[in-house]
Structure formats: C-alpha cells, structure tokens
Amino acid sequence: EGQIFCLFVQLRLYNIASSFLSFGRFTRQPRLPHCADMYRLQSLATLTLDTLNPQVKAVEYAVRGPIVIKAGEIERYLEEGGTKPFSEVIKANIGDAHAMGQQPITFLRQVVALCTFPELMDSPSFPEDAKWRARRILQGCGGHSLGSYSASPGVECIRKDIAAYIEQRDEGVPSDWENIYLTTGASDGIMTILRLLVSGKDSSRTGVMIPIPQYPLYSAAISEMDAVQVNYYLDEDNCWALDINELYRAYQAAKLHCQPRVICIINPGNPTGQVQSKKCIEEVLHFAYEENLFVMSDEVYQDNVYTPDCQFHSFKKVLYEMGPEYFNSVELASFHSTSKGYTGECGFRGGYMEVINMDPEVKAQMVKLLSVRLCPPLAGQAAMDVIVNPPQPDEHSYKQFRQEKSSVLGALADKAKLTEQILNAVPGIKCNPVQGAMYAFPRIFIPPKAVEEAKALGMQPDMFYCLRLLEETGICVVPGSGFGQKDGTYHFRMTILPSIEKLKVLLGKVRDFHIRFLKEYSALE
Amino acid sequence: EGQIFCLFVQLRLYNIASSFLSFGRFTRQPRLPHCADMYRLQSLATLTLDTLNPQVKAVEYAVRGPIVIKAGEIERYLEEGGTKPFSEVIKANIGDAHAMGQQPITFLRQVVALCTFPELMDSPSFPEDAKWRARRILQGCGGHSLGSYSASPGVECIRKDIAAYIEQRDEGVPSDWENIYLTTGASDGIMTILRLLVSGKDSSRTGVMIPIPQYPLYSAAISEMDAVQVNYYLDEDNCWALDINELYRAYQAAKLHCQPRVICIINPGNPTGQVQSKKCIEEVLHFAYEENLFVMSDEVYQDNVYTPDCQFHSFKKVLYEMGPEYFNSVELASFHSTSKGYTGECGFRGGYMEVINMDPEVKAQMVKLLSVRLCPPLAGQAAMDVIVNPPQPDEHSYKQFRQEKSSVLGALADKAKLTEQILNAVPGIKCNPVQGAMYAFPRIFIPPKAVEEAKALGMQPDMFYCLRLLEETGICVVPGSGFGQKDGTYHFRMTILPSIEKLKVLLGKVRDFHIRFLKEYSALE
C-alpha cells in the first residue's frame, strides 16, 4: 500500500518536481525588486495553467499518459544501475511494431531509400521493380525531389495508385483519385475531418458519436475542438460487436443536448480487436443515412484480421452494395495508414483518407485548410505508395515481399490466439477473441478492497492495477479507463506486438501478478 | 478587360464548376422520392458551407490560394497542347527550392538514406562520417528503426544535438535539450504554441500581435483558433524595420477589445526579407517583458542572410545579453526548419522549436498535446539532425558539404541583389533590399484606373495585377493583399529561387509587363 501511495504522490508531484529538477536551469527565479519592475513581482508567467487554453487542458491521451511516463522513469532507473524485481520494462502500451523488433518490409525501404538518394538508381544491389517505382514517385515530385512540397492533397500519381488499390480491394467499386488525400498518419486525417464538422453553440454544438471503448485520439480531438462526445457502448458480451439499438439510444439521448452530426467507427476495433460483420456495417450505414450523419470509418487495421471466420469489409464497399440511393448520398471518410498492417511504419507518418459525397464547396474549404499545413511528409507518401502498389507476382521482389508480409501477419495471428488463450486461463480475467488489429483488451476483476484503496488514492481502480503491474513486473499496459468502459468494469489494453517468446514471458507475468493481486485483496476481506 | 472579367468569373465559378466536372461522379444525384425518404429530399449534405466550422471558413492562405490554382490550370492547359503567349508557368509563389531545381545537400541525403535502409551501412560508396551519424540516430530510435514512433518531443539524441548547435550558434548561451521539441515543419510548432495561448472570451480573448506584412500561416492559424489578430505595421520606408513605437500603438489599440498575450516576429522577414538589428530585437524583448507577452520568434531563415552589413541575431541570445532579469523570465519560443536555409528540404517536414521559461505545468500540458499527434516524421527528424550536426573540417565529407552549402547560399545572395536591382530599375516598382530569407516584396504602383477596374470586379487591385501577370507572362507570384499591407499600397511576393538564368527572364518579363500595364491604364486617364 505504501508503495502505491508513493507512486501516486510521485505522479501528483511530477510537474512540481520537474520545476526543480529537469527544468531548473530556466525556471523563473525570484527577482530582486527594482523600480520599473515592481508590479511584475505579483505576476506569474504569461502562460500558466490558469491562462492555458482550457480545451488543451481538457485533452486526455492515455496511450502516452502518466503510466507511460512512469515506465520511462523506471527504464532510466534501471539503466543507471537501479534494481527492480525485473530486468527490463516491456512496453505493451502502444502499437509500435518496429519498437518491438518487427523488421521493416525490405521492398518498402528500398523504394524510399531510392527516392531519398537517387544516386542509388545506379546501384546493382537494388532491384529494378523498386527502381521504377522510385522513379515514378520522383517524377511526381517538384524538381524530382522528395525535398519539394507536394500539392497539399499529396502527390498526384500516389493518389492515383491509392484509388486503384481501393478499387481492387473493393472488387471494382469505383474510386476517384481526386477523393484521395494523403495525410500525416491517420490521426491527421481524422483531426482534419472533425475540424470541418465542429460548429454550433450550446445545444446545436456538433456531437461526435464514438464507440466506447475507443482509441483516445477521438476523445482528445473532441476535447481540443470543444465538440460534444457522444458515447455508444460496444457489447463486450458479444465480442465487442456494435449493437444498432445502442446507436439509436445514444443518438436520441444526445439530441437533447447537442446536434449529433458524425459517427466514428473503428474497424477492426482499437482497443477491442473485433472485426465488424457486413450486416453490422449495413445497419450503421442505414442509421447514418436515416439520421443524416457524416461517417468516419477508421480502417487502419484493414490488413490485420486473424480469425478465419472474420473478413474485413470496407464501409465504402458495403455502402456501394446498398445501392446508389446510399452510395450517392452518405458522406463517408475512411482512413488508412502506413503505421499498422504488416508494415508498421509509424515513424514515416504516412496515411490517406478517401472522402466521398463531400459537398464540393466544403471540399474546396478542406483543401484550403490542408494547404496551410503545406503537405504531408514525402517519405510517408512514398511509403504509402508502396503499400498500395506492392510487388506483383511477375516481379523480381515478389517472393521476398510475400514471404515477409505473411511472416509478419502469420506471427500476429499466432500471438492474437496465444494472448487470448493464456489470458482466459487466468481466474478473474476474461478476454474476447482478438479477431483483428493489434491489441487485447481483457476484462479484469478487481476485488472491492482494491477498488476502495484506489479510490482512497483518488485513482481509477484500473490505473491502480496497471501501476502495480508496472512496478512489480516491468510490464507497461494502458488502463481501460483511458479508452472508456462500462461503469464498474475494468480492463487494460496490451499490444500483441512483442516477439512470441517475449509475449509468453509477459503473459506469464501478468497471470502471476493477477493471481497475487487477487489473493492479496481477497485476503483483506 | 474582357479577359480579366473572364478570369474573375472563372474563379468565382470554380467551386460550382467543380461539382459538375471533377467531382461529378460522386455528386449527390437528385433522388426519386420514396416513402421513408421523403423528408430527406429537402435536406442537403450533412456538411455544407452553411454547417461548416465557421473558423475554417475564415481561414485564408494566399501562398496556395486562387492564383496558384489558376496557375495549375494554365499548366495543365499548356500540357494538353493549349497555346499562351508563353511556353511555361514559372511558380515564384512558394519557397520551395528543390521544385526550382536546387539540388539536395549530398551528405544530408546520404545520412537519411542510411537510416532508411541500414543495409547500406555495408556499402563502400557511403562515407564513414555519414554512417556514424546514421548509426547514432538509429540507436536513438525504437528497435533501431525510422519506422518506430519517437518520443513525442522527438528523438533524444537529436534534441541534444540541436541544443549543442544552438549553444554554438549563440556563442555559449546555454541551451537545455529538454527545452527542444522536434516538429513537423516549423508551421506545426507555431500552431502548437498558439493553441496553448488561445483562451478567454470577448474582450479577454487572446490577441496575437503579428507583423504586417506577415507570412499568412499566422493569420490562418489565428482564424482557425478564433483568436484576435493584432497587426503591427513594418516600416517600408525604413527597409521594413520594426518600429517600437508602432508596437506600443498596436498594443494599446488592441487592449481595448482583446487581451494581447503573444507577439510573433519573423526574422529574417517573410515576405519582407529584412534582417533585424540587435537593437531592434532588444526593444522588442523589452516591450514583451514590460507587457508580459509570450514571444514567438520565427527564425527559419536564420541561415539566409545575404547583405554583408546584416547579421542574424537570435532572440534567445539577445535576451541572454540583456541579463538574467530578462533571460530568466521572458517566455520565448523560437522556430527552425529543414525547409529553408541551404538545404531547402520542405518535403521532409522537419523542424524544431526551443521553448524557454515555460511554466513546467504548461510544459507537461504541451507534451500531452504533442503526444496525441504521436510524433514528428522520423526522416524529418534525421534531416534536422544533419543540419545541426554537419560535417566538421576534419571529416571526409566536409569539403563537398562546404562547397555545396556555399554554392547554394552564394547563388541566393547573387539572386537577392539581382532581383532588387532589376525591379528598382522599373518605373513604378520600388523594392527594398532583400537582406535575407527568400523573397522580394516590391511595392507596385497601380494606376487609379486599374484600381477602379479591379474594384468593379470585386477584386483586390494587386490580385487583379497578379492575375494579369500570370495570364500574360506565365509568372505566378502572390498578391501583397495575401500578406497584409498598408491601405492604398500594393505589392507582390516573389521568391528568388529560380536559377539565375530563369530569374533574369522572369524579371525581364515582369518589367515589360509592368510598363505595358502602366501604359494601358495611364492611357485610359
């Protein structure tokens, strides 16, 4: 208990302490009064917690929140020779595949390296299929250089490649390259579309429907833009499925105090890992059509589907199959990224969105908004191009590419299964199948005594649990409260990205910890 | 006249037309009424110009505005075999060096290519000094990969390199690496700091002091965040110097309707090209200190100083020299970028900001905000590292690096001089010396008859002028009204980036056009 209280105090004191430690050198010093300066003695800095933009203050983002800061501190402590009951911190908090040892796809890196340093075009160690892709990308760049700004929506030939990829993925459903916008990761696209949609005051303020649990980019963006968060709860008892009745309930309840104008869906789910059925998507789209909602479909995990009975259906394809009535009217933005899938290229900050049925005048406004930020990073655009335009069976690099891709996806499928199995064998933990994406989101039983203790510390019970897990095992996961969950239920999100060996160790430690934790707090009752 | 009217109508019709042309396929079609759907017939799309976020609507960004869209249309027209009085469009609207043919710095690209494709570490064609830098950067990356997210403020060793660079640049003034934040270009950093500072309602709403003329990122960000723009006018008769009395005037006037809390300075100036004297910087900092203003110092052109009697002084160094009273209290953020200087790597979207005297609690809030966006692109961070950690005299790559760097900067200095000289020889054009940055911002005389004609078309006179320049010569420059200017004065901004041969042609065409234009409209009087 003392230890946890210490942790809590540490967290609370983090800011205050940092003013004396890390930031000491530049911290405002007490000043000697002199004549012209007397009145300033009362004043603090211009920008303080009191004067800070209140919308910034309201933002929360658990994936890199206090528990992750704490993990970093422990890591540094270990590096400096400190001792803990473990030798390393395992960061299962964030979907960062390369940080967990996943190797890049060779072909993707070859193309981006060729674009970066075109002298390599003469090198015999680079394959021709990579070279022609790099040449083609560079021909689309100003001065044939990755160092030029692109048009704000992205390089034209890359937009065309993306449209072709979507048409193929969706078995012929038309995709217009002028509806494609490259983005700085998917987050950037999601923020852009939300920014357009937020308007109105008081009860006409834009309501944004989001799943609970959700990826906290959504809640953070909603806070930052001062929109109204409208929660619809996923059905944990039904593999986190989206229940259409719950959508109607949430919508009707929200209409009393805001104007719901957009519905966000994450498919496959983050943090929940479910893959939506076609029927469910149809229901959502029909609902959006009926209620005149803009649909934002976060499909960054479209290549991450693991269970044989599940299949990724794009919202756009389902919309098309519902007929022109729907396909020509529902406003839909879907998002993709270089960061997930089998490439895991988070650091490139690449991504795109496809936006259909957007009012042309609004589109012009959006392009204007994008143009202020100039353009997404060109290396990320190039990486995106490789993802949508990979080696074909008749090309030299195909074999290696296919082997690397299936090796990554195969390992993820194994780890998804393994994670579910081991967690479900632990008393007091229940984990839905990880059908897709990169996370398990198990429900954990926290004994009432532990809940009480956490509350006495002013902490969410699952935060208390995750902090103890971190302190005792070195495993860093994110409390369910950072994603949202039904009142009285507790979860954590962990990635399935560590290598299979490390994942087994990690899951074993979680099991042992959980059993200890249950025992400790049940003994108290 | 008919031609200009046509252009105008074209611009006005741009959005409407696009709904029938480029966006045609996905435009909402008239639908046959059926029962459950009747009420929807009256409704338009969810997101229309009426429901769009009004702050987005208010944004303007001339550098990629209507004249640039028009230039793109003419380019396509020429490509498709159309004829004009010229054979190519010369885009002197945007500071995009590589698009104008500037070659990348070899060493920078070598390091980034090595980071992207580490197999190249074995290649004898890459020098060791590039390899060790790449190895060092990769050691700072998760999984030693550019594909990992970095910490939100950037890779630690790169932050340290930047701090060391600043200390050296500022002749020993201390720089703490924990005050350094990598950004996605300088624009991203500027937006982040402004976002923190915007708060309050009505007369307590944050006022942001910006120079006029300004780089329109500032006015766009202010609109987007619904802050209050407070203009202070640079003194055109005095080489666009900042006049401290004008600062006080602007501040006092603004206090009546908002709360000025931040002052933005662009040094060297964009679009105005002046380099601020040390004395002027001292005055600004004293003013900020007195009035308790946060200082944002946009120093992305710090390496672009051309005239021997001018020197770049960083705001931070000047602040330090004013004594600890100032250095320990004035809140200052300064911004740098990979996009300008001698590298011109716009497409990498690299940059950093150094923030001093920020309240530690606010700093924690800023890091939280940055963490929602995950991290700046890693290739851009790597490029930034090379800029602050270039080859040293005892290293293999030094000679080539120095030669490439001085060749770019020497050519820019020549072009700055040439531009000023040729423009000043044209009757009715007056151009201040281009002391730094990458732009000339000449004042142009527009005859009253032309002003009248423009106004009749509902157009700014300098927009009218620039559109005719584009239509008649293929030269794309940005009207002064996009940057702000004193009422009744007219300007345009052109970059000095085209090759010297092309620049001579361009300036000759501007001269001939201007003389024709004066003649045409004087003849009318």
Side-chain angles (χ1 to χ4, degrees), chain B residues 369-404:
Chain B
L369 192 65
L370 294 176
S371 75
V372 177
R373 286 154 178 82
L374 296 163
C375 69
L378 271 285
Q381 296 192 43
M384 196 74 240
D385 192 56
V386 179
I387 292 173
V388 298
N389 187 14
Q392 298 304 303
D394 59 347
E395 289 184 303
H396 171 82
S397 300
Y398 181 71
K399 209 178 133 193
Q400 186 184 359
F401 171 79
R402 196 186 52 177
Q403 185 270 318
E404 290 176 355

Side-chain angles (χ1 to χ4, degrees), chain A residues 251-495:
Chain A
Y251 177 79
Q252 292 303 338
K255 282 212 85 163
L256 303 174
H257 64 277
C258 71
Q259 178 61 51
R261 294 176 61 219
V262 49
I263 177 167
C264 302
I265 294 103
I266 313 175
N267 177 45
N270 175 2
T272 39
Q274 84 284 16
V275 177
Q276 291 188 336
S277 69
K278 196 173 152 187
K279 176 166 167 294
C280 170
I281 296 173
E282 275 171 5
E283 287 174 345
V284 172
L285 286 168
H286 181 74
F287 166 76
Y289 173 86
E290 286 285 310
E291 305 299 351
N292 220 22
L293 298 174
F294 196 106
V295 179
M296 291 174 63
S297 168
D298 179 339
E299 302 179 329
V300 299
Y301 298 102
Q302 58 187 267
D303 287 323
N304 300 101
V305 176
Y306 309 121
T307 51
D309 51 328
C310 289
Q311 197 194 328
F312 170 74
H313 302 275
S314 80
F315 268 65
K316 176 156 169 252
K317 178 159 185 260
V318 175
L319 189 68
Y320 182 81
E321 289 167 353
M322 290 167 77
E325 192 73 14
Y326 290 85
F327 190 61
N328 295 325
S329 79
V330 174
E331 295 151 89
L332 169 67
S334 72
F335 304 91
H336 198 12
S337 165
T338 60
S339 304
K340 312 301 172 189
Y342 53 91
T343 53
E345 295 284 12
C346 310
F348 279 81
R349 314 308 300 116
Y352 73 78
M353 55 185 179
E354 183 185 26
V355 186
I356 64 170
N357 292 320
M358 182 177 264
D359 179 302
E361 285 184 316
V362 172
K363 214 165 196 174
Q365 294 283 324
M366 180 170 78
V367 171
K368 180 188 71 177
L369 192 65
L370 295 175
S371 75
V372 177
R373 286 152 178 83
L374 297 161
C375 68
L378 270 285
Q381 296 192 43
M384 196 73 241
D385 192 56
V386 178
I387 291 173
V388 298
N389 186 16
Q392 297 304 303
D394 60 345
E395 288 184 304
H396 171 83
S397 300
Y398 180 70
K399 209 177 132 194
Q400 186 183 0
F401 170 80
R402 197 187 50 176
Q403 185 270 318
E404 291 176 353
K405 174 178 172 177
S406 56
S407 151
V408 170
L409 291 177
L412 283 171
D414 292 345
K415 293 188 277 189
K417 196 77 203 146
L418 181 80
T419 303
E420 177 201 344
Q421 281 169 346
I422 298 187
L423 288 176
N424 278 329
V426 183
I429 295 189
K430 188 171 172 336
C431 184
N432 270 322
V434 181
Q435 299 171 337
M438 297 179 167
Y439 316 98
F441 195 66
R443 181 161 171 184
I444 46 177
F445 173 68
I446 299 186
K449 285 281 176 195
V451 171
E452 263 171 51
E453 189 171 321
K455 286 188 175 162
L457 293 167
M459 219 184 268
Q460 292 289 340
D462 50 8
M463 170 67 89
F464 176 79
Y465 178 96
C466 292
L467 274 173
R468 280 207 42 181
L469 178 67
L470 174 63
E471 271 288 338
E472 295 176 28
T473 67
I475 295 168
C476 179
V477 299
V478 188
S481 46
F483 303 89
Q485 55 201 353
K486 240 187 198 156
D487 277 351
T489 70
Y490 306 109
H491 303 78
F492 63 78
R493 186 188 84 164
M494 60 169 279
T495 69

Side-chain angles (χ1 to χ4, degrees), chain A residues 73-301:
Chain A
E73 287 171 11
I74 296 178
E75 254 182 342
R76 270 191 297 279
Y77 174 78
L78 289 173
E79 276 166 20
E80 288 159 8
T83 53
K84 286 277 177 191
F86 47 87
S87 58
E88 66 164 338
V89 171
I90 305 179
K91 287 192 174 162
N93 59 294
I94 189 164
D96 188 350
H98 290 206
M100 289 287 108
Q102 183 181 310
Q103 293 305 300
I105 298 290
T106 304
F107 186 74
L108 185 150
R109 292 300 188 93
Q110 286 174 329
V111 174
V112 179
L114 285 160
C115 289
T116 303
F117 196 60
E119 281 84 336
L120 292 171
M121 297 285 183
D122 300 329
S123 162
S125 55
F126 283 75
E128 281 308 313
D129 45 8
K131 286 181 185 171
W132 86 252
R133 277 175 182 74
R135 255 185 236 110
R136 188 160 161 279
I137 293 168
L138 289 179
Q139 263 157 25
C141 295
H144 297 181
S145 168
L146 280 198
S148 290
Y149 295 121
S150 71
S152 301
V155 176
E156 190 170 310
C157 70
I158 299 178
R159 296 168 77 193
K160 286 177 175 164
D161 286 346
I162 293 169
Y165 158 81
I166 293 172
E167 284 200 0
Q168 200 188 1
R169 180 198 70 189
D170 291 344
E171 297 169 340
V173 178
S175 174
D176 183 340
W177 70 270
E178 295 196 75
N179 289 329
I180 309 291
Y181 299 84
L182 276 296
T183 59
T184 307
S187 307
D188 169 52
I190 292 166
M191 300 278 250
T192 298
I193 296 292
L194 281 176
R195 201 171 292 288
L196 301 177
L197 281 158
V198 173
S199 67
K201 284 205 192 318
D202 304 325
S203 68
S204 72
R205 190 75 179 155
T206 294
V208 181
M209 302 188 72
I210 61 170
I212 295 294
Q214 51 114 21
Y215 173 57
L217 164 69
Y218 291 93
S219 50
I222 290 168
S223 295
E224 191 183 314
M225 297 176 198
D226 205 16
V228 181
Q229 179 175 326
V230 177
N231 296 339
Y232 65 88
Y233 287 83
L234 300 176
D235 185 359
E236 182 164 16
D237 295 334
N238 191 15
C239 275
W240 296 114
L242 193 161
D243 172 12
I244 193 70
N245 295 316
E246 167 60 11
L247 273 193
Y248 278 100
R249 181 208 61 77
Y251 177 79
Q252 292 303 338
K255 282 212 85 163
L256 303 174
H257 64 277
C258 71
Q259 178 61 51
R261 294 176 61 219
V262 49
I263 177 167
C264 302
I265 294 103
I266 313 175
N267 177 45
N270 175 2
T272 39
Q274 84 284 16
V275 177
Q276 291 188 336
S277 69
K278 196 173 152 187
K279 176 166 167 294
C280 170
I281 296 173
E282 275 171 5
E283 287 174 345
V284 172
L285 286 168
H286 181 74
F287 166 76
Y289 173 86
E290 286 285 310
E291 305 299 351
N292 220 22
L293 298 174
F294 196 106
V295 179
M296 291 174 63
S297 168
D298 179 339
E299 302 179 329
V300 299
Y301 298 102

Side-chain angles (χ1 to χ4, degrees), chain B residues 95-241:
Chain B
D96 189 350
H98 290 204
M100 288 287 108
Q102 184 182 308
Q103 292 305 302
I105 299 289
T106 304
F107 187 75
L108 185 151
R109 292 300 187 92
Q110 285 173 328
V111 173
V112 179
L114 285 159
C115 290
T116 304
F117 196 60
E119 281 84 335
L120 291 171
M121 297 284 183
D122 300 329
S123 163
S125 55
F126 282 76
E128 282 307 313
D129 46 8
K131 285 180 186 171
W132 87 252
R133 277 176 182 73
R135 257 186 234 110
R136 189 161 160 279
I137 293 168
L138 290 178
Q139 263 156 25
C141 295
H144 298 181
S145 168
L146 279 198
S148 290
Y149 294 120
S150 71
S152 302
V155 175
E156 191 171 309
C157 70
I158 299 178
R159 295 168 79 193
K160 287 176 175 164
D161 286 346
I162 293 169
Y165 158 82
I166 293 173
E167 284 200 0
Q168 198 188 1
R169 180 199 68 189
D170 290 345
E171 297 169 340
V173 177
S175 174
D176 183 341
W177 70 269
E178 296 197 74
N179 289 328
I180 309 290
Y181 300 84
L182 276 295
T183 58
T184 308
S187 307
D188 170 50
I190 292 165
M191 301 277 253
T192 298
I193 297 291
L194 281 177
R195 201 170 293 288
L196 301 177
L197 281 158
V198 173
S199 68
K201 284 206 190 321
D202 304 325
S203 69
S204 73
R205 190 76 181 155
T206 294
V208 181
M209 301 188 71
I210 62 171
I212 296 293
Q214 51 114 23
Y215 173 56
L217 164 68
Y218 291 92
S219 50
I222 290 167
S223 296
E224 191 183 314
M225 298 177 198
D226 205 17
V228 181
Q229 179 174 326
V230 177
N231 297 337
Y232 65 88
Y233 287 83
L234 301 176
D235 185 359
E236 182 164 15
D237 295 336
N238 190 16
C239 275
W240 296 114

